[in-house]
Amino acid sequence: MRRSNLLLLILATIGLLASGCSFTKMAANGTVDVMVAASPAITHETDVDLAEAGIVGNLKMMEGLALVVPTNEKLYQMLAEGFSSYAFGFLEPRLWSLKAGSKQAIALATRIKRFHARAQRYARKLAALVVPKVLKAADKGLGDLKTALGGSFDDDALSAIYWLGHTWSLLVAADTEDLENVANMSIAEALLKRVYKSKPKYQDGLLASTFGAAQAQLGQGIGGDLKAAKAKFDEAMAVTEGKFLLP
């Protein structure tokens, strides 16, 4: 085979491989768009067991998609929301029915914390893509963060800031015995308050419920306030006319 023909064959093969890779990413991004459009089916589901099964099935599929399209912002938002909602809405209520300190309770509490940590990891990936300066400032400390939050943000940026604060607050609440972890609540609150300043009714009361959940789960000795928590849950319920289900 002539050298020129061999070169053409190599170039053609590379072209086909590149085309296949491009098609795979295109299909993955298209799947993400479909999942975003179909996501209300879960929040509108009245059968709790069916809703739980739907969330669990979607989470692993979305993690697989993240391997194919690691810069898809919509995907990371769904992953952050999915893991935090599953942990808070389905696993934590089971923990309440178990005897404190029992092997079952300890194992479930550990699992809950792992899911909240997973949600936070995906929220950080989202923030790294959308609001990298805010994420960097949050890791430095409260002073740097407040400075970074002083500017104006569009809707996509506010969503990234919200999920970073939301997942961080629930991660803190999942382990109040870790004082270093609890110290991060001020960071989470600063993020959430910035979103509240621009959009107090963010996602039909979702923001208000996040404040409520954090206040309810923290002990009074480390900043928890049941009355404040109830006020925030009432606010979330008022926004949705009593239809709000999960944070």
Side-chain angles (χ1 to χ4, degrees):
M1 182 181 292
R2 293 181 179 179
R3 183 175 298 179
S4 59
N5 290 339
L6 178 60
L7 179 59
L8 287 174
L9 179 60
I10 292 173
L11 290 174
T13 301
I14 293 174
L16 286 172
L17 291 173
S19 176
C21 180
S22 177
F23 177 78
T24 299
K25 289 185 177 180
M26 187 183 302
N29 283 319
T31 300
V32 173
D33 289 339
V34 170
M35 295 183 77
V36 171
S39 59
I42 293 293
T43 57
H44 294 167
E45 178 55 57
T46 56
D47 187 299
V48 177
D49 291 335
L50 184 58
E52 179 179 4
I55 290 176
V56 172
N58 284 340
L59 287 176
K60 286 312 300 178
M61 180 178 181
M62 289 190 291
E63 286 195 314
L65 288 170
L67 297 176
V68 182
V69 284
T71 57
N72 190 301
E73 298 167 11
K74 297 176 184 177
L75 182 56
Y76 286 134
Q77 180 170 319
M78 286 195 297
L79 280 164
E81 180 177 4
F83 276 106
S84 64
S85 293
Y86 180 61
F88 184 84
F90 296 98
L91 298 184
E92 292 192 24
R94 294 174 189 164
L95 182 62
W96 304 336
S97 65
L98 298 177
K99 182 180 179 181
S102 66
K103 290 183 178 180
Q104 294 90 338
I106 293 173
L108 183 54
T110 300
R111 187 180 182 214
I112 289 169
K113 184 178 178 180
R114 284 202 304 264
F115 276 116
H116 282 310
R118 214 155 162 180
Q120 226 268 320
R121 185 167 70 246
Y122 288 120
R124 291 179 66 86
K125 288 180 178 291
L126 173 62
L129 293 172
V130 184
V131 285
K133 291 182 179 179
V134 171
L135 177 61
K136 186 176 181 179
D139 287 337
K140 285 185 176 180
L142 187 58
D144 289 277
L145 178 59
K146 287 184 176 180
T147 299
L149 293 175
S152 60
F153 299 95
D154 61 19
D155 288 349
D156 289 341
L158 287 172
S159 289
I161 292 170
Y162 168 75
W163 286 109
L164 184 62
H166 172 89
T167 56
W168 218 331
S169 68
L170 293 183
L171 178 59
V172 169
D175 186 2
T176 56
E177 294 183 0
D178 184 341
L179 296 182
E180 183 177 349
N181 181 47
V182 171
N184 288 322
M185 182 57 82
S186 61
I187 299 293
E189 287 182 344
L191 292 164
L192 294 172
K193 285 178 179 178
R194 179 60 187 84
V195 181
Y196 193 83
K197 179 181 178 181
S198 295
K199 289 192 170 185
K201 295 182 180 181
Y202 179 80
Q203 287 203 359
D204 295 329
L206 187 60
L207 179 53
S209 77
T210 300
F211 278 122
Q215 289 291 338
Q217 289 181 288
L218 289 175
Q220 289 187 344
I222 51 176
D225 187 332
L226 291 179
K227 288 185 178 180
K230 183 180 184 303
K232 287 300 180 182
F233 282 128
D234 287 344
E235 181 180 335
M237 294 293 284
V239 171
T240 59
E241 298 180 351
K243 299 176 183 177
F244 193 85
L245 177 60
L246 291 174

